[in-house]
Amino acid sequence: MPSLEEELFPSTPGKFKDKGGSQYSMNRQFHRCFASTSTMFLWALFLIALTASYLSFQSFMDSSTRYFSSTWGGLHWEKQVRSSAEIRRNNGFSVLVTGAAGFVGSHVSLALKKRGDGVVGFDNFNNYYDPSLKKARKALLNSHDVFIVEGDVNDAKLIEKLFDIVAFTHVMHLAAQAGVRYAMENPHSYVHSNIAGLVTLLEACKNADPQPAIVWASSSSVYGLNEDVPFSESDRTDRPASLYAATKKSGEAITHTYNHIYGLSITGLRFFTVYGPWGRPDMAYFSFTKNILQGKPITVYRGKNRVDLARDFTYIDDVVKGCVASLDTAKKSTGSGGKKRGPAQYRIFNLGNTSPVTVPMMVGILERHLKVKAKKNFVDMPGNGDVPFTHANISLARRELGYKPTTDLQTGLKKFVKWYLAYYGYNHGKSVKL
């Protein structure tokens, strides 16, 4: 007699005996279907688990790659930051300098380091102008033990990390998207750097404990269409002539807000046409020098009725003295961890030379120092945001900061030309190595 198992699940078709007819056949087919579905379900679970494992591994690898390729983070990086921030004089400062690989930033960083302050640089090394010049400035600062962190000022986590590592007493905020004319090509870069970036930095300063005192770069461009001469800090600044000027004016309003609400000590500096060695290639005196040496014509703009444009050219060393004096006279912030305990210092100063010079006169000085005659094309000034003249009233800075510029344009351009010829390796009769 066949067993129950043999009857229900015969090993061969010949052993199957039809005792229940079609009913038995349906039960058998249902079991097969159920067994097949169970198997498929198990396979599906296996595939899901395998996919999840792969994705987790891929995420781990991506994170690891980002970690190892990151320009910041790690014990060695933190050690470099701390070492650079170390104060080496009595009652010295520990200063975070943004835009440290820039023109003004590199000079200020060097001046602070030489007197014994701790300095940590910060720069994104963007390509608005030749990054190799910024790298060269970085190398100069590195030789004086100033470490520059590479990053974007909008990177809140990076900024927060720096404040976790170092209790900065001061912040010198010089990072910005510069240039009046470039704003017509890439307006978003100005909002990104000059407004959003400023807010990101102020948020970090607001939340720091202790809060640092802040000195930051505004611009003479905020005077816009103002025609009162010379420009004073009390003059109207609500008529900007360019987007660049508008972002700097916005920065002044934003810093005032953070000062009022959070007790941050803030000093704004309105720079007037800063020039000198290691300067910005997009500035007129710099590009004129390059073109004159290469025998190329230069474009000299004129204002209405062919009036020569004039600028209050300010030599870099004088500007640095004003920046350092602003740090030295800055009072402590009154907040702690984002909470204000009392009114805080808020100031704005002009840093200029207070002796405007016309652009044609500036070109003439360059010609004498270069011993080369310029090929000049005079063109009416286009509507690109430039203003016809700038002239600084520096009485407030003189009184509050002891600011006193000592370098005239003749002397300053002579120093610039000497640096330019040495840096680019130019010899008379040979092309400039650019």
Side-chain angles (χ1 to χ4, degrees):
M1 180 178 290
S3 65
L4 178 63
E5 181 179 359
E6 288 177 326
E7 289 188 357
L8 293 177
F9 305 106
S11 58
T12 64
K15 289 187 176 181
F16 177 70
K17 297 180 180 179
D18 189 3
K19 294 185 178 180
S22 59
Q23 181 66 38
Y24 179 80
S25 177
M26 289 178 62
N27 289 338
R28 187 166 178 266
Q29 291 298 325
F30 174 79
H31 175 80
R32 285 182 175 178
C33 180
F34 178 79
S36 175
T37 302
S38 299
T39 302
M40 290 178 65
F41 178 72
L42 291 175
W43 273 107
L45 287 178
F46 174 74
L47 290 174
I48 291 172
L50 186 64
T51 301
S53 299
Y54 171 77
L55 292 175
S56 298
F57 177 75
Q58 188 66 35
S59 176
F60 169 77
M61 292 300 295
D62 290 343
S63 299
S64 299
T65 301
R66 286 194 298 270
Y67 175 81
F68 288 112
S69 63
S70 175
T71 56
W72 65 276
L75 295 178
H76 178 65
W77 179 83
E78 291 186 15
K79 183 178 179 181
Q80 288 178 297
V81 172
R82 289 192 179 93
S83 176
S84 191
E86 185 176 350
I87 301 171
R88 302 181 184 277
R89 70 178 178 95
N90 292 332
N91 300 317
F93 303 150
S94 181
V95 188
L96 173 64
V97 180
T98 69
F103 176 31
V104 179
S106 58
H107 281 82
V108 171
S109 297
L110 197 57
L112 293 173
K113 194 68 175 184
K114 283 183 175 180
R115 75 173 192 174
D117 290 322
V119 179
V120 176
F122 191 93
D123 206 289
N124 67 355
F125 295 91
N126 67 25
N127 61 356
Y128 167 63
Y129 61 80
D130 185 8
S132 67
L133 183 57
K134 300 177 184 180
K135 296 292 184 181
R137 297 188 192 119
K138 177 184 178 181
L140 176 64
L141 292 177
N142 284 344
S143 69
H144 288 83
D145 299 321
V146 176
F147 179 62
I148 298 183
V149 175
E150 185 168 352
D152 192 297
V153 74
N154 283 282
D155 189 340
K157 290 185 178 179
L158 174 53
I159 299 294
E160 181 181 352
K161 181 65 176 179
L162 289 174
F163 277 92
D164 286 341
I165 298 173
V166 179
F168 293 108
T169 60
H170 296 73
V171 170
M172 174 63 72
H173 180 47
L174 301 171
Q177 176 58 64
V180 170
R181 299 169 193 169
Y182 183 63
M184 298 182 71
E185 300 177 31
N186 189 1
H188 296 290
S189 66
Y190 289 79
V191 176
H192 176 82
S193 297
N194 301 357
I195 297 179
L198 175 62
V199 171
T200 301
L201 181 64
L202 290 174
E203 279 291 302
C205 294
K206 174 201 77 176
N207 295 325
D209 193 5
Q211 292 177 336
I214 302 166
V215 178
W216 75 287
S218 183
S219 171
S220 61
S221 295
V222 300
Y223 290 108
L225 302 179
N226 175 50
E227 295 182 353
D228 295 331
V229 180
F231 299 160
S232 298
E233 291 87 348
S234 59
D235 288 345
R236 289 181 61 182
T237 56
D238 58 351
R239 296 181 296 169
S242 67
L243 179 62
Y244 169 69
T247 61
K248 285 300 184 178
K249 175 58 182 175
S250 297
E252 292 187 354
I254 290 168
T255 54
H256 185 275
T257 301
Y258 274 79
N259 164 266
H260 173 69
I261 297 177
Y262 302 112
L264 287 174
S265 170
I266 299 178
T267 302
L269 302 177
R270 293 172 178 170
F271 295 149
F272 282 72
T273 316
V274 188
Y275 74 100
W278 296 98
R280 280 173 31 207
D282 64 314
M283 298 291 284
Y285 73 94
F286 200 116
S287 61
F288 284 176
T289 299
K290 173 184 174 181
N291 288 340
I292 291 172
L293 288 172
Q294 292 183 338
K296 297 179 180 179
I298 63 174
T299 300
V300 180
Y301 291 118
R302 283 177 168 170
K304 293 180 180 180
N305 301 319
R306 296 188 176 182
V307 174
D308 291 329
L309 304 187
R311 292 290 181 269
D312 198 343
F313 294 98
T314 313
Y315 189 63
I316 181 62
D317 289 359
D318 291 328
V319 168
V320 169
K321 291 175 184 177
C323 290
V324 173
S326 297
L327 291 170
D328 288 341
T329 58
K331 295 182 180 179
K332 292 184 178 181
S333 294
T334 62
S336 177
K339 296 181 179 180
K340 178 181 175 181
R341 294 194 300 269
Q345 183 184 57
Y346 186 83
R347 308 177 295 174
I348 292 179
F349 296 110
N350 288 337
L351 292 187
N353 192 58
T354 199
S355 299
V357 176
T358 66
V359 174
M361 287 180 63
M362 180 266 285
V363 173
I365 295 173
L366 282 177
E367 289 176 322
R368 289 194 292 275
H369 289 319
L370 295 170
K371 298 180 174 61
V372 179
K373 194 69 175 176
K375 301 175 183 178
K376 298 181 281 286
N377 291 329
F378 291 92
V379 178
D380 289 339
M381 184 175 65
N384 56 14
D386 271 331
V387 294
F389 60 87
T390 59
H391 185 185
N393 179 338
I394 59 172
S395 58
L396 183 62
R398 183 184 290 115
R399 183 172 64 251
E400 300 293 330
L401 305 178
Y403 174 71
K404 185 179 180 181
T406 59
T407 306
D408 60 22
L409 188 59
Q410 176 79 23
T411 303
L413 283 180
K414 182 178 181 179
K415 293 180 179 180
F416 166 74
V417 167
K418 182 179 179 180
W419 168 83
Y420 187 98
L421 298 178
Y423 181 80
Y424 288 108
Y426 177 81
N427 294 315
H428 286 291
K430 297 183 180 180
S431 61
V432 185
K433 297 178 181 178
L434 294 177

